[in-house]
Amino acid sequence: VLTSLVWQAWALSLRPALELGRPVAVTGQVVDLPDTHEDRQQFLFAVEAIENWRGPLPRRIQVSIYDQRPRVQAGERWRLWARLRRPRGYMNPVRFDYERWLAADGIDARGTLSRPDEAESKTPASGLPAWRARLSDHVGSVAGSGQGSALLQGLIVGDRRGFSEQTWEILRATGTSHLMAISGLHIGLVGGLG
């Protein structure tokens, strides 16, 4: 119990102050495959530094860009101006607990890009996130288009960005949505052992 309380206090100390409403310069790396739509992009950002920041740094920030640019790639390092806020969810005991899900994923803040013209790419894509993006693109190009290709990308690389709402409904109805959540890990373990 004591360990849980200490960990919880530490995790809560990484969240930005509630009154923080001004944009701050955040430097870090894109550590997940960006979820890209026509006019919006969302990704996880591992924080390396925040200018004029007091206290411990958030581990990861879920960043949203509501603009056509900049377009980020997995594994790239950026310096972005973002408005940070604490993650929060609805306190409804019968619904999905979004805040708890963010905390379990190590996401200590959510941010919105506030100055797209001042976003600065520091280094090109590298590391495991970039390799995962390249592998997902390769699987998608070999498998073709459609939901079959999206399922292969989900199983092999854990890239579920191409799933349609109808595919998710089928997975939920057949009880196989859990397979999508963990099978990529299992396939990766077997491939690594092989």
Side-chain angles (χ1 to χ4, degrees):
V1 170
L2 183 61
T3 303
S4 297
L5 290 174
V6 169
W7 181 87
Q8 181 182 15
W10 172 75
L12 288 174
S13 74
L14 299 176
R15 293 179 170 200
L18 285 172
E19 66 276 359
L20 185 66
R22 59 181 166 67
V24 292
V26 183
T27 303
Q29 183 179 26
V30 179
V31 293
D32 199 10
L33 301 173
D35 189 13
T36 305
H37 299 284
E38 292 175 7
D39 58 345
R40 180 178 63 85
Q41 196 172 188
Q42 192 173 45
F43 55 92
L44 291 181
F45 201 58
V47 178
E48 296 171 2
I50 300 177
E51 289 181 16
N52 300 322
W53 188 263
R54 291 183 181 88
L57 293 174
R59 293 169 288 183
R60 297 200 297 180
I61 300 172
Q62 185 182 56
V63 179
S64 297
I65 299 176
Y66 296 100
D67 204 331
Q68 294 291 333
R69 56 182 174 71
R71 289 296 190 201
V72 302
Q73 301 295 323
E76 290 179 333
R77 287 184 64 248
W78 283 83
R79 181 178 180 267
L80 306 170
W81 283 88
R83 234 178 257 287
L84 301 182
R85 62 188 181 281
R86 286 182 173 219
R88 61 181 177 267
Y90 297 111
M91 297 298 289
N92 188 341
V94 296
R95 300 293 294 170
F96 176 69
D97 190 347
Y98 183 64
E99 188 173 350
R100 183 171 138 185
W101 178 78
L102 289 173
D105 217 18
I107 300 169
D108 298 318
R110 298 182 69 208
T112 305
L113 186 71
S114 59
R115 301 179 190 171
D117 295 335
E118 296 182 33
E120 180 185 351
S121 177
K122 293 288 194 181
T123 59
S126 64
L128 187 60
W131 175 80
R132 184 175 169 218
R134 285 193 303 271
L135 182 60
S136 177
D137 292 342
H138 179 70
V139 169
S141 67
V142 170
S145 61
Q147 288 304 291
S149 172
L151 284 171
L152 277 176
Q153 287 172 305
L155 284 171
I156 295 172
V157 189
D159 181 4
R160 297 179 290 275
R161 296 176 297 172
F163 286 15
S164 68
E165 188 56 40
Q166 182 182 11
T167 301
W168 279 118
E169 285 179 25
I170 292 170
L171 290 172
R172 282 190 291 266
T174 58
T176 55
S177 59
H178 181 68
L179 178 67
M180 278 300 138
I182 62 167
S183 64
L185 172 65
H186 291 149
I187 290 173
L189 286 173
V190 169
L193 288 174

